[in-house]
Amino acid sequence: MHRVGSAGNTAGSTRPRKEKRFTYVLNDADSKKHCAGINCLAYLNGSAFSTSDYLFSGSRDGTLKRWELNNGDASFSATFESHVDWVNDAIIVGERLVSCSSDTTLKVWNCFSEGACTRTLRQHSDYVICLAAAEKNSNIVASGGLGGEVFIWDIDAALAPVAKSVDAKEDEVPNGNSGPALTTLYNVNSSSNIASSNGQTHGYSPITAKGHKDSVYALAMNDTGTLLVSGGTEKVVRVWDPRTGSKKMKLRGHTDNIRTLLLDSTGRYCLSGSSDSMIRLWDLGQQRCVHSYAVHTDSVWALATTPSFGHVYSGGRDQSVYLTDLSTRESVLLCTNEYPILQLSLQDDTIWVATTDSSVYGWPAEGRTPQKVFEKGGSFLAGNLSFSRARASLEGSAPVPVYKESSIVIPGVPAIIQHEIMNNRRHVLTKDTAGSVKLWEITRGAVIEDFGKVSFEDKKKELFEMVSIPAWFTMDARLGCLSVHLDTPQCFSAEIYAVDLNVSGAQEDLKINLAQETLRGLLVHWSKRKQKSNSHGLSNGDSSSGKDVLSKDSPRSRSEVDDGTENHATHVLPSFEFSTVSPPSIITEGSSGGPWRKRITDLDGTEGDLPWWCVDCVTHNRYPKENTKCGFYLHPAEGSPAPNITQGKLSAPRILRIHKVANYVVEKLVLDKPLDGGSDSTFAMGLSSGQSQPSALDSSSRIGLKLWQKLKPCVEILCNNQVLSQEMSLATVRTYIWKKPEDLILHYRVVQSR
């Protein structure tokens, strides 16, 4: 398990950040599929609850999905989305699904819901890796993780209603109090996270099994919930009484991390799989290892047994699934996969295999009569020493798999494994596990070009643009998809001219703030639903059009003036419209200490813990003003007869184009207007407030205008003796031509009229 900071988890982060971070996760066009490795599987026999059986998969993309199983086919049924980091394990507890994640939480869901989380349980201080449940006691769940913590939860008690959640959709509990007095509570956020003053889940404290000094990777519980086993990096199997959290025994034998555990229904026998490549069978009554099985050539990460506990299916890093008879020690290679195996789930005659790939594979298993597999031949006797399989493999006696092809595949989407932010700070080049290279436009969350299987580095060079835009976001692909992080105030540092985005009817000098418009696009559904709920307080609702907003509001008033209404928040420019078919999800930190995740189309306007700066930006047009100006000097070029037209340093927006500087020089030369201001004059052509805009200058003197049109000298602007392209911005010149920390120095010269 890699120690990598999660998209939304800031626990233990050393990066100073005063305000909450706002993250949005771009989902692939096919949102019914996982886009990262599958960490866990849970099978639900629907006979007691419905007409269908279901398979639940939990992924490194942060979501769980429900698949309906019918006649050898699996169809998508629902997505369970609320975790903000990898989903590491999931179990069925009655009609509930319980999941755990690297975001340090457990989440409880109704198995048959449309994916709404009913409660978030917080107690762990680090990644939660594994879960265990009691088959016949459907309210007892154990959780373990990297912090060395093991907690035993009474789910019914943990879910006891305490307070009404802000998000009624996700937490339909009535007002009531079976826990502490409400005065001990902080508040309730939109992900049903209820935290009391001691950080426990609404006053309920799970039982703690204390004893692990290091990370816990595996748990198992017997059917009645009277016995719990745990294992991890300490290489020992610990046995507990989950009713009290007390230690019962410690079993030694493995020489490396214990990654998977199983208990038989009675709790007498325990199976363990380890990074030492061994499977061990323990008799807890005798407190010793009674058999060890060397069938794998590398770490064993997953185990599943037949109902009688007579045979075990095992998988791991060597990408192979073996079936072993625990009494005769006979073993057979069932199948091989293309990726390391993370978890196994046996459903009658199918073994479901979860790997680091985003697809789920179903293989023939003969789970009811496993002896049939051995009859196909190719079996061998499992050794009892860890090197015996490795040695056999080296000697060329590697077994041949019984099955060559899986019987069913639930396909996923290839995970993004490489990304590069383009210089325009709107496009991102990605490469996925299938080798496909794509270009994304992150301001609307869409793939704008799929280049297929080409060289990532070559395409990056081909798409290089000599432009300079401030880094207004950060990004990672930890979830197998792009997560874009916005932090205030630096996210508001990037501006672009509206005409460069082909905004119809936009004035030439209208500037667009990329973060503001992106937030507007992401929160448009939230804004509309919030307005609807507050409609009695609005006078003009959703009447004005996006074009009206652009024509009425000057660039500065758009970002600074609170016009008293929220109607502008629902107008989105075309370049910032996000898909409603595969909408992005947002991740942000809740007001009671925990992050939450929701699709933008599921926001209902009642989410009270969006970062205040996002709300202020979207609903009131207010955001921190980052310095978007560039100071520079403008002098005649060496040897040029042109006079000096400026006195001291000029200032203009960083995005100002060089042709505007040339126009300014022409006007000063032809109109010969005296320069007012002192040593730090403001560059008239770049003012965004409307003072001395080009139109004002152009009409200020009819005679001067005619003279200018008649004479029309052609001016070149130079930097470091290099003639600059008319379309370059001051920021681009400074980054790629000037390349010095000092103020930019530009020169001009008059060339022959064109």
Side-chain angles (χ1 to χ4, degrees), residues 178-221:
S178 60
L182 289 180
T183 51
T184 67
L185 297 176
Y186 286 138
N187 52 4
V188 184
N189 78 9
S190 63
S191 283
S192 317
N193 304 323
I194 300 184
S196 68
S197 53
N198 62 359
Q200 295 160 350
T201 303
H202 72 283
Y204 167 79
S205 293
I207 294 169
T208 305
K210 293 181 179 177
H212 276 284
K213 300 178 182 67
D214 214 335
S215 300
V216 177
Y217 278 90
L219 291 171
M221 203 181 298

Side-chain angles (χ1 to χ4, degrees), residues 191-512:
S191 283
S192 317
N193 304 323
I194 300 184
S196 68
S197 53
N198 62 359
Q200 295 160 350
T201 303
H202 72 283
Y204 167 79
S205 293
I207 294 169
T208 305
K210 293 181 179 177
H212 276 284
K213 300 178 182 67
D214 214 335
S215 300
V216 177
Y217 278 90
L219 291 171
M221 203 181 298
N222 67 341
D223 281 2
T224 54
T226 58
L227 209 62
L228 173 71
V229 290
S230 63
T233 52
E234 296 170 63
K235 311 170 192 174
V236 298
V237 177
R238 293 180 184 269
V239 185
W240 314 82
D241 183 340
R243 297 164 294 188
T244 60
S246 58
K247 302 175 194 173
K248 290 179 75 87
M249 66 186 85
K250 200 159 49 172
L251 304 170
R252 302 180 185 277
H254 282 295
T255 58
D256 206 339
N257 189 358
I258 294 170
R259 294 296 300 264
T260 176
L261 290 165
L262 291 176
L263 272 177
D264 75 335
S265 57
T266 64
R268 177 175 177 182
Y269 292 105
C270 171
L271 273 171
S272 59
S274 165
S275 296
D276 63 13
S277 78
M278 295 297 292
I279 300 167
R280 289 181 179 272
L281 178 65
W282 309 83
D283 184 325
L284 300 188
Q286 298 180 30
Q287 299 190 23
R288 69 183 186 91
C289 174
V290 289
H291 284 298
S292 55
Y293 308 88
V295 295
H296 288 271
T297 58
D298 208 332
S299 302
V300 180
W301 289 347
L303 296 173
T305 67
T306 53
S308 65
F309 215 75
H311 295 77
V312 64
Y313 299 85
S314 57
R317 184 180 274 173
D318 61 9
Q319 308 175 8
S320 302
V321 178
Y322 288 91
L323 172 62
T324 305
D325 185 319
L326 294 176
S327 56
T328 67
R329 306 177 62 82
E330 190 179 9
S331 191
V332 66
L333 175 59
L334 193 75
C335 61
T336 56
N337 292 258
E338 291 182 38
Y339 303 91
I341 294 158
L342 299 174
Q343 207 170 76
L344 299 170
S345 179
L346 183 64
Q347 172 219 347
D348 299 330
D349 287 334
T350 300
I351 184 87
W352 292 100
V353 180
T355 72
T356 55
D357 179 38
S358 55
S359 301
V360 180
Y361 302 88
W363 291 84
E366 302 289 357
R368 295 187 184 94
T369 52
Q371 203 54 43
K372 287 183 181 178
V373 179
F374 292 101
E375 290 169 5
K376 296 178 186 290
S379 65
F380 61 92
L381 203 61
N384 57 10
L385 297 173
S386 60
F387 62 82
S388 55
R389 273 294 300 122
R391 186 174 62 191
S393 180
L394 285 171
E395 290 170 355
S397 57
V400 177
V402 173
Y403 300 106
K404 302 293 190 295
E405 291 185 8
S406 57
S407 54
I408 183 171
V409 178
I410 303 175
V413 176
I416 292 172
I417 53 172
Q418 196 173 358
H419 67 276
E420 183 78 21
I421 300 169
M422 299 287 97
N423 284 351
N424 64 14
R425 301 286 170 182
R426 288 185 296 123
H427 295 161
V428 174
L429 192 69
T430 63
K431 180 180 178 180
D432 61 31
T433 51
S436 290
V437 176
K438 298 176 183 177
L439 189 66
W440 292 73
E441 186 168 17
I442 61 147
T443 52
R444 58 189 183 95
V447 174
I448 54 176
E449 195 158 0
D450 186 342
F451 301 108
K453 295 181 180 180
V454 299
S455 165
F456 183 82
E457 293 302 321
D458 290 349
K459 185 56 67 174
K460 187 171 75 173
K461 290 173 186 173
E462 180 188 322
L463 295 174
F464 173 81
E465 290 180 274
M466 194 183 284
V467 294
S468 178
I469 305 286
W472 60 281
F473 63 89
T474 54
M475 173 176 279
D476 68 60
R478 172 174 166 76
L479 300 178
C481 45
L482 295 178
S483 295
V484 185
H485 311 296
L486 302 181
D487 292 298
T488 189
Q490 54 267 42
C491 68
F492 295 109
S493 62
E495 292 181 330
I496 190 171
Y497 284 118
V499 291
D500 291 336
L501 292 171
N502 301 316
V503 177
S504 60
Q507 296 174 0
E508 186 185 11
D509 285 342
L510 178 63
K511 293 192 285 292
I512 299 292

